Amino acid sequence: MIQVAIFMGSISDKDKVLSCTEILEKLGISYTLTVTSAHRTPQRTQKLVEDLEKDGCQVFICAAGLAAHLAGAVAAKTIKPVLGIPINASSLGGADALFSTVQMPPGFPVGTLGIDKIGAKNAAWLAAQILALQDSALADKISQMRNQMTQEIEETAKQLEAHYQG
Ligand code: RP5
């Protein structure tokens, strides 16, 4: 069963989205990654949502740039949580996609993350936390990985402090 579906508006978004798949893999979460566009392939987008939902998909992650309507189009078709990753694909630096993704009408929310790779990473973490509500083994794994991040910072701080003690 696929737990998380990741949609990109274009193959040109892929490099920025791969940090999302890396984290899902580390956490042992099953996912599918594909390209579909709110504007260029609206029927394909709708069918993907319907089919994946039937197969048990729990969270949809949508990455898109420019007038980024992909996450909103998916949110219109499902009540599963939809997470949006705004992609920087123009001279507006991703602000265009951020505003397009975040400003949803009431009742059709998109949980909007940061622009590009940082948003892709946090989309994976947030999807994991949503799934962990019903999965205590996954919750433990998330906690372990957080502890690891804490330890890494503490170790780095120790090394820096040892080196720069005046
Ligand atoms: C958006 O337009 C895509 O998500 C992409 O970020 C941007 C440019 O798409 P391409 O012209 O590279 O296909 O729909």
Side-chain angles (χ1 to χ4, degrees):
M1 187 192 63
I2 287 162
Q3 295 169 286
V4 174
I6 307 167
F7 297 164
M8 303 176 291
S10 168
I11 192 66
S12 63
D13 300 326
K14 188 172 161 219
D15 284 351
K16 290 164 177 174
V17 175
L18 287 184
S19 50
C20 179
T21 64
E22 281 164 25
I23 291 166
L24 293 177
E25 281 169 27
K26 277 189 192 153
L27 289 165
I29 294 169
S30 58
Y31 67 89
T32 184
L33 171 74
T34 192
V35 175
T36 191
S37 164
H39 307 117
R40 293 180 276 200
T41 62
Q43 282 156 357
R44 172 177 160 73
T45 301
Q46 182 172 340
K47 177 132 186 2
L48 275 168
V49 174
E50 287 166 2
D51 291 349
L52 282 158
E53 226 185 316
K54 270 186 214 143
D55 289 348
C57 179
Q58 294 298 304
V59 182
F60 290 88
I61 296 175
C62 302
L66 307 180
H69 296 140
L70 184 55
V74 171
K77 291 292 171 191
T78 182
I79 62 163
K80 300 292 182 203
V82 179
L83 307 180
I85 308 167
I87 299 292
N88 174 8
S90 78
S91 52
L92 296 179
D96 43 0
L98 174 62
F99 289 157
S100 304
T101 305
V102 78
Q103 289 286 56
M104 287 295 291
F108 295 81
V110 168
T112 305
L113 288 308
I115 296 167
D116 286 348
K117 282 187 185 176
I118 189 68
K121 287 182 183 177
N122 271 343
W125 285 110
L126 194 50
Q129 288 176 225
I130 292 165
L131 294 170
L133 291 170
Q134 308 290 335
D135 182 342
S136 58
L138 178 58
D140 288 346
K141 212 179 252 185
I142 294 169
S143 295
Q144 278 166 22
M145 284 175 70
R146 277 200 176 190
N147 288 340
Q148 205 178 313
M149 288 188 255
T150 304
Q151 279 166 19
E152 280 167 13
I153 296 282
E154 279 168 5
E155 190 50 44
T156 304
K158 260 190 221 154
Q159 286 170 11
L160 265 180
E161 288 160 19
H163 189 78
Y164 288 101
Q165 234 154 27

